[in-house]
Amino acid sequence: MTDTPQDNDKLHIIDDGDVESISTHEPWPILVVDDDSEVHAATRLALARTTILGRPLELVHALSARETMAILQKRRDFAAVLLDVVMETETAGLQLVKEIRETFGMAECRIILRTGQPGSAPEIAVFTDYDINDYCTKSELTRTRLITALMAALRSYQQIRTIAENRRGLELIVRAVPGLMESHAINTFAEGALAQIAALLKIPPDGIVCAQKGSPLETGEKSGLYVVAAAGRLSGCAATPLEKIGSSAIIEAITHALTNHDHVFGEHFTVLFLRGGNQEAAVYLETGAPISKDDRQLVEVLAANITACFANVKYVEKLNFIAYHDTLTRLGNRSLFTLQLETAMQMAGSSCAIPMAVALVDIDHFSDINNGLGQEVGNGLLTAVAARLHIQFGKECQIARIGADVFGILGPEKQVNPTRLQALFEQHFSVGEHQLPVTVTMGFAIPKAGAGGGNTLLKQASIALNRAKRAHNANYTFFEGEMEDDTRWRLEIIRHLRRDFTAQKLAVWYQPQISLSTGKIAGMEALLRWPGETGFVQPPSVFIPLAEYSGLIVDIGDWVLQTAADAYRSLAHLPNRPHHVSVNVSMPQFKSGNLTERVAAILGEHMLPPSVLELEITESIALDQPRHVISCLRDLRDLGVRIAIDDFGTGYSSLGQLKALPIDCLKIDQSFVAEISSGRGGMFAETIVALGQKLGLETIAEGVETAEQAGFLRGLGCSDAQGYYYAKPMPLHELITWLENWQSR
Ligand code: C2E
Ligand code: CA
Ligand code: CA
């Protein structure tokens, strides 16, 4: 091996550039295979103290194909192999190439074939089939030639490695995306992202992910950065506010990324900036050393992909949140509560379980507040109640909004009990400018082992709540086994009512209404009765709500209208017949859509002028779904029918709303009439009469039982009165006799 001047020149140029003499970098592992030990010695000499592409060389020597095989069994990290073709056999080297590529799967390793004889070059196919880098005869291999050949091989090796690394990274990214997509919660997603980035960089996951705190529905100010995932040395930081993690350097790096909306590549760390929807996050990773340019690019690609997933996760999380939460109060919803009850039922069996209770809290007359003071006030009240429940019970109990105005509370019995809950509603709730007194009705149930799942427990509490709502003397009830029969009982009543209605067994009775100023008959109210074999089957206060609930009231109400019209018609011959007949109308009748048509038809069939019919609707009907109801009322009014608001004063109608309603009369609720003689002075009755006068409406007092009440109301200027003082409701034939005998008082 003789150096030519030309070769030395080349070497010189190389020395100046890529070949450095000193390096601390990891060496290139190079396998030298030759059956001639002199070749090994010469190669060692030629390559001594040589560095290529900034790295020294590590030569590993093998004297035969067999020895090579043994080495490759142990290590395969060779960047290049200098391979003698002819060894044990003529083609031992070529055989080895096959083994290297196929058996040992060393696809990236570069191979330089060396042969003693110029004529023994392998077939061209071998080069392409086995990806051989270079081929030269040993005589050609000067030091310079050897180094340039190696340099080309190593450069090629490095490129192949980079490409392979990138592909591995991209594959990892491609695989990471669906994996991350599956995590539906931001913290599992964040953990996944952290692990994927670390895997890409081939370092242990050692870092944190920060995002804004709060539910995914929260928008607004970007404060409250929280550690949503943490791994490695920082794993203790999970769920802490960023400012509490105790490293100003990390805080600064993360803040920098979030402020500049960009990744930060530091000396020992990397911060990736992620944005999805209107949520931002930063992944902080301890890398120990600066990450290479290639890795940076890969990480940026991964970050872009993660960002895409992140938006998705935020979306899914939002959907999940909505699925299990009430968006108004941010409390859990019925679905979540049922799951929590399910757990409570499962726990109930274990010996260490503390005694638990579930309460359903229903706000009394909520629809009146909502309709009367507006939905905004209604929502405000619900939010205020939710907040108060949360302050009182949030620590130990699960709170949910499980219906429009029904809250569920699950927790230890010593917390979830009537006394504690009752106390919560002693103070008024302030909503806007309103101070709202709120009363509630509650149903309680106790989770018992083996008594079914969460749904059963919820049903038990609902049954107790319904029982409490119907009770007159208590505003709460605990579920008891026999109450389930109660539900069956009510279904039975509905069935029975339908049967008797079809069999025309229902009746309408009438109660006179007297003009307070003249003492003459003013009108009469039609009141439904359900007669049975012995007395009444059920009072209207029991069966009418059930008829409403089942929808049966639409047909029954239509029949009451016909019957009342018929009855009124039959009074035509009486000199003091009432000016009108009042008929009660329920919400389902308004919802049926053809109430006006039915009323017009019935009046037509009975040849009655519309002015003889008065429809009584409750305050909540008048204020519920205002647009639909008001247009219906307006049509009825246009027809000439009178409209009265029943039980007036028990709702929350505002003056503005009253003005907007097409009505003729306010019917003062019996409770205010009862107050007149109970020493409380009848202040409400007085206010209602004054209100009526201001709005140009008539007023009628119901439940008038005494002369004192009648006198008081007359003094106020109340138009009419109805009550036992004058007459109880009675069948038509009795009414006729009663009317014939009526002397004005
Ligand atoms: P309402 O419309 O407020 O009817 C007045 C109720 O007070 C009637 O009870 C009547 O019998 C009772 N009452 C009348 N005068 C006095 C009195 O001086 N003292 C006392 N303590 N009570 C008096 P009733 O007939 O049991 O009806 C109860 C409720 O059932 C009615 O309350 C009404 O909301 C509903 N209702 C009755 N008939 C019908 C109907 O045909 N259709 C609809 N949708 N509801 C009806
Ligand atoms: Ca009525
Ligand atoms: Ca009434």
Side-chain angles (χ1 to χ4, degrees):
M1 271 190 255
T2 48
D3 290 345
T4 64
Q6 200 190 5
D7 283 334
N8 272 331
D9 275 359
K10 271 192 202 155
L11 193 60
H12 182 74
I13 296 163
I14 295 161
D15 271 339
D16 249 6
D18 295 333
V19 183
E20 296 153 18
S21 42
I22 309 153
S23 170
T24 52
H25 286 94
E26 235 181 282
W28 296 111
I30 291 166
L31 182 58
V32 184
V33 185
D34 206 304
D35 57 355
D36 183 346
S37 54
E38 273 186 38
V39 173
H40 285 284
T43 307
R44 204 178 291 128
L45 195 68
L47 297 177
R49 299 187 64 239
T50 302
T51 63
I52 297 179
L53 301 172
R55 292 164 63 177
L57 308 177
E58 178 204 1
L59 300 184
V60 175
H61 299 272
L63 282 160
S64 65
R66 186 137 39 79
E67 196 185 339
T68 309
M69 295 290 279
I71 291 170
L72 293 180
Q73 295 290 352
K74 294 194 190 106
R75 61 180 285 193
R76 290 167 206 181
D77 61 338
F78 298 103
V81 184
L82 289 169
L83 183 57
D84 190 12
V85 176
V86 183
M87 291 181 290
E88 291 101 316
T89 63
E90 283 291 308
T91 55
L94 294 180
Q95 293 275 283
L96 257 185
V97 173
K98 193 169 182 280
E99 298 287 344
I100 289 170
R101 293 291 187 235
E102 290 175 0
T103 312
F104 296 102
M106 296 160 66
E108 291 154 12
C109 169
R110 297 297 85 205
I111 298 174
I112 298 167
L113 285 182
R114 296 201 284 190
T115 173
Q117 295 83 18
S120 63
E123 297 290 322
I124 200 86
V126 176
F127 283 83
T128 47
D129 287 357
Y130 295 114
D131 184 20
I132 289 167
N133 249 59
D134 207 347
Y135 172 82
C136 46
T137 57
K138 291 180 191 174
S139 59
E140 285 174 338
L141 269 181
T142 59
R143 178 175 181 241
T144 307
R145 177 76 175 87
L146 181 62
I147 290 175
T148 43
L150 258 183
M151 199 189 298
L154 291 176
R155 191 173 278 137
S156 156
Y157 173 78
Q158 198 172 40
Q159 280 166 357
I160 291 170
R161 286 291 306 191
T162 309
I163 293 167
E165 270 300 292
N166 283 351
R167 181 180 305 129
R168 191 187 69 86
L170 288 171
E171 273 170 12
L172 207 145
I173 292 168
V174 169
R175 274 201 306 273
V177 169
L180 289 174
M181 286 289 210
E182 275 166 25
S183 46
H184 291 165
I186 199 72
N187 43 349
T188 46
F189 173 80
E191 274 164 24
L194 197 58
Q196 297 290 0
I197 296 167
L200 188 66
L201 295 173
K202 293 210 228 76
I203 55 172
D206 197 352
I208 54 175
V209 181
C210 270
Q212 267 108 40
K213 187 206 169 196
S215 85
L217 294 178
E218 242 145 86
T219 48
E221 90 273 29
K222 304 217 156 145
S223 61
L225 276 172
Y226 257 68
V227 178
V228 289
R233 272 168 295 166
L234 293 162
S235 58
C237 299
T240 19
L242 178 61
E243 72 256 26
K244 299 244 170 78
I245 64 166
S247 160
S248 54
I250 297 178
I251 296 172
E252 198 182 315
I254 289 176
T255 315
H256 191 273
L258 287 170
T259 320
N260 295 310
H261 293 175
D262 203 1
H263 312 309
V264 181
F265 294 101
E267 276 295 308
H268 302 284
F269 67 86
T270 294
V271 188
L272 297 179
F273 169 74
L274 309 179
R275 192 201 327 241
N278 55 5
Q279 175 100 19
E280 291 168 355
V283 182
Y284 173 93
L285 201 65
E286 294 274 357
T287 49
I291 60 174
S292 73
K293 221 170 94 193
D294 294 333
D295 279 348
R296 245 187 222 208
Q297 285 173 347
L298 271 180
V299 161
E300 278 174 357
V301 174
L302 180 57
N305 277 279
I306 290 176
T307 298
C309 300
F310 186 44
N312 236 304
V313 167
K314 288 311 296 177
Y315 184 65
V316 172
E317 195 173 56
K318 189 170 168 173
L319 287 181
N320 272 342
F321 186 86
I322 292 170
Y324 287 107
H325 290 83
D326 164 42
T327 47
L328 175 69
T329 60
R330 297 184 179 285
L331 295 176
N333 63 9
R334 178 186 281 262
S335 307
L336 184 61
F337 197 57
T338 310
L339 291 176
Q340 290 162 340
L341 293 180
E342 184 84 33
T343 315
M345 282 300 234
Q346 283 160 9
M347 305 272 288
S350 71
S351 54
C352 56
I354 28 169
M356 302 284 275
V358 55
L360 297 188
V361 178
D362 185 316
I363 301 177
D364 296 338
H365 310 297
F366 176 73
S367 59
D368 290 348
I369 297 170
N370 208 34
N371 301 326
L373 299 178
Q375 206 173 340
E376 219 169 286
V377 177
N379 286 350
L381 177 63
L382 291 172
T383 318
V385 170
R388 203 177 283 182
L389 284 171
H390 184 74
I391 291 169
Q392 181 68 35
F393 296 103
K395 274 212 191 85
E396 285 185 69
C397 308
Q398 324 265 25
I399 310 165
R401 180 173 169 223
I402 63 158
D405 57 348
V406 183
F407 293 89
I409 299 130
L410 168 71
E413 244 175 340
K414 60 179 199 312
Q415 294 265 348
V416 184
N417 56 54
T419 322
R420 285 247 173 181
L421 276 161
Q422 201 84 69
L424 218 58
F425 294 89
E426 271 162 17
Q427 300 274 317
H428 289 193
F429 287 83
S430 27
V431 179
E433 77 236 31
H434 304 278
Q435 287 295 319
L436 301 174
V438 170
T439 60
V440 291
T441 307
M442 298 174 287
F444 291 84
I446 307 294
K448 289 205 176 76
N455 269 320
T456 310
L457 187 56
L458 187 59
K459 197 175 118 201
Q460 293 177 346
S462 317
I463 289 173
L465 175 63
N466 284 330
R467 175 64 74 91
K469 278 195 202 169
R470 291 200 309 275
H472 296 292
N473 49 356
N475 69 338
Y476 70 87
T477 327
F478 274 84
F479 173 79
E480 284 157 31
E482 74 262 22
M483 285 184 183
E484 252 160 324
D485 304 338
D486 193 72
T487 312
R488 254 171 257 134
W489 172 83
R490 287 188 297 135
L491 288 175
E492 186 48 46
I493 293 206
I494 293 170
R495 231 172 279 138
H496 188 180
L497 178 64
R498 181 173 283 126
R499 211 165 48 224
D500 279 8
F501 171 59
T502 313
Q504 305 191 328
K505 288 187 182 166
L506 298 190
V508 179
W509 286 18
Y510 303 89
Q511 186 177 31
Q513 298 169 336
I514 312 298
S515 161
L516 280 168
S517 55
T518 64
K520 288 188 175 150
I521 310 290
M524 62 186 196
E525 180 177 7
L527 292 159
L528 189 58
R529 292 293 178 266
W530 184 4
E533 305 281 303
T534 53
F536 296 116
V537 179
Q538 295 292 342
S541 54
V542 171
F543 75 83
I544 284 175
L546 294 176
E548 287 174 342
Y549 169 79
S550 64
L552 204 53
I553 196 69
V554 175
D555 289 342
I556 295 180
D558 191 86
W559 173 79
V560 172
L561 274 167
Q562 296 182 52
T563 311
D566 218 30
Y568 188 81
R569 179 101 218 129
S570 66
L571 302 179
H573 63 281
L574 293 176
N576 61 346
R577 74 160 178 176
H579 300 305
H580 66 257
V581 57
S582 301
V583 177
N584 295 286
V585 190
S586 296
M587 193 59 177
Q589 293 176 267
F590 275 94
K591 285 191 175 157
S592 76
N594 65 347
L595 182 62
T596 316
E597 289 75 23
R598 282 306 298 149
V599 166
I602 291 166
L603 288 169
E605 281 160 25
H606 294 85
M607 289 177 296
L608 290 172
S611 61
V612 305
L613 180 66
E614 180 174 78
L615 297 182
E616 292 191 8
I617 60 168
T618 57
E619 213 171 340
S620 54
I621 293 186
L623 300 169
D624 194 26
Q625 303 187 321
R627 227 178 304 147
H628 171 68
V629 173
I630 289 177
S631 84
C632 189
L633 287 178
R634 207 156 268 146
D635 292 345
L636 288 164
R637 247 304 212 55
D638 289 347
L639 198 67
V641 170
R642 283 166 54 90
I643 309 288
I645 304 281
D646 206 354
D647 305 338
F648 188 78
T650 55
Y652 280 85
S653 5
S654 66
L655 197 59
Q657 282 171 314
L658 268 184
K659 272 189 181 157
L661 285 175
I663 50 173
D664 303 271
C665 180
L666 299 180
K667 203 162 182 190
I668 305 167
D669 189 63
Q670 345 194 333
S671 58
F672 304 127
V673 174
E675 282 182 1
I676 294 171
S677 45
S678 70
R680 287 172 68 183
M683 192 187 75
F684 277 99
E686 188 175 345
T687 312
I688 295 168
V689 172
L691 185 66
Q693 285 165 346
K694 203 160 264 152
L695 295 173
L697 303 173
E698 284 181 24
T699 41
I700 176 165
E702 67 180 332
V704 177
E705 295 184 352
T706 65
E708 183 201 352
Q709 290 166 343
F712 181 83
L713 290 158
R714 187 182 301 114
L716 293 179
C718 177
S719 331
D720 300 330
Q722 171 186 349
Y724 296 171
Y725 174 58
Y726 302 101
K728 291 197 171 182
M730 56 194 115
L732 181 62
H733 65 272
E734 278 181 35
L735 178 79
I736 294 172
T737 320
W738 188 88
L739 287 172
E740 281 164 353
N741 296 325
W742 174 252
Q743 308 286 322
S744 303
R745 300 185 209 171

